[in-house]
């Protein structure tokens, strides 16, 4: 059923587990407080297509294809960048990631 209620509970722990499994080089989540969890819940509720674990599996696989987002390519300052889940799900960053702006 494609009609998913906006009140569907965001499965934070399962999404974090996918993030850890599919992006092992990126920072591990040790603290997931309300300040960090709110953007994930917001991304989840913004679009019914995002209200499945399959969506998040595909999202993290997309991130994994980016040399920049996985620290395999240095930034202009010569340092590698490894974003955490909280960075990936912030509104502006999330949009850029799904638009492919960090992919070669």
């Amino acid at each position: 059923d494609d009609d998913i209620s906006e009140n569907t509970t965001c499965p934070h722990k399962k999404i974090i587990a996918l993030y850890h499994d599919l992006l092992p080089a990126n920072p591990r989540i040790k603290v997931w407080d309300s300040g960090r969890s709110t953007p994930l819940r917001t991304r989840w509720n913004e679009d019914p297509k995002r209200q499945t674990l399959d969506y998040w599996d595909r999202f993290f696989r997309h991130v994994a294809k980016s040399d920049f987002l996985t620290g395999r390519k240095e930034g202009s300052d010569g340092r590698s960048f490894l974003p955490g889940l909280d960075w990936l799900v912030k509104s502006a960053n999330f949009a850029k990631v799904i638009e492919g702006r960090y992919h070669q």
Side-chain angles (χ1 to χ4, degrees):
D1 190 345
D2 288 333
D3 232 304
I4 298 175
S5 163
E6 191 170 307
N7 295 325
T8 302
T9 303
C10 178
H12 293 267
K13 289 180 182 177
K14 291 179 180 178
I15 293 172
I16 290 168
L18 283 172
Y19 162 82
H20 286 159
D21 289 346
L22 297 170
L23 297 167
N26 291 59
R28 306 290 290 175
I29 302 301
K30 294 180 179 158
V31 175
W32 195 247
D33 57 23
S34 63
R36 297 173 112 194
S37 65
T38 297
L40 176 58
R41 185 178 315 102
T42 302
R43 301 292 81 75
W44 173 271
N45 284 318
E46 279 173 342
D47 187 339
K49 290 183 290 192
R50 297 182 194 155
Q51 294 176 3
T52 67
L53 291 176
D54 181 60
Y55 175 87
W56 293 95
D57 181 277
R58 287 182 283 116
F59 174 75
F60 295 134
R61 289 179 191 278
H62 174 69
V63 171
K65 292 177 187 171
S66 166
D67 288 343
F68 180 70
L69 294 175
T70 54
R72 298 186 305 255
K73 179 180 179 185
E74 292 179 349
S76 56
D77 62 0
R79 296 187 308 174
S80 294
F81 176 63
L82 276 172
L85 178 56
D86 53 332
W87 186 93
L88 291 168
V89 298
K90 283 182 184 168
S91 183
N93 300 338
F94 184 81
K96 291 176 193 173
V97 170
I98 63 175
E99 290 169 353
R101 293 203 198 173
Y102 298 107
H103 291 69
Q104 7 334 330

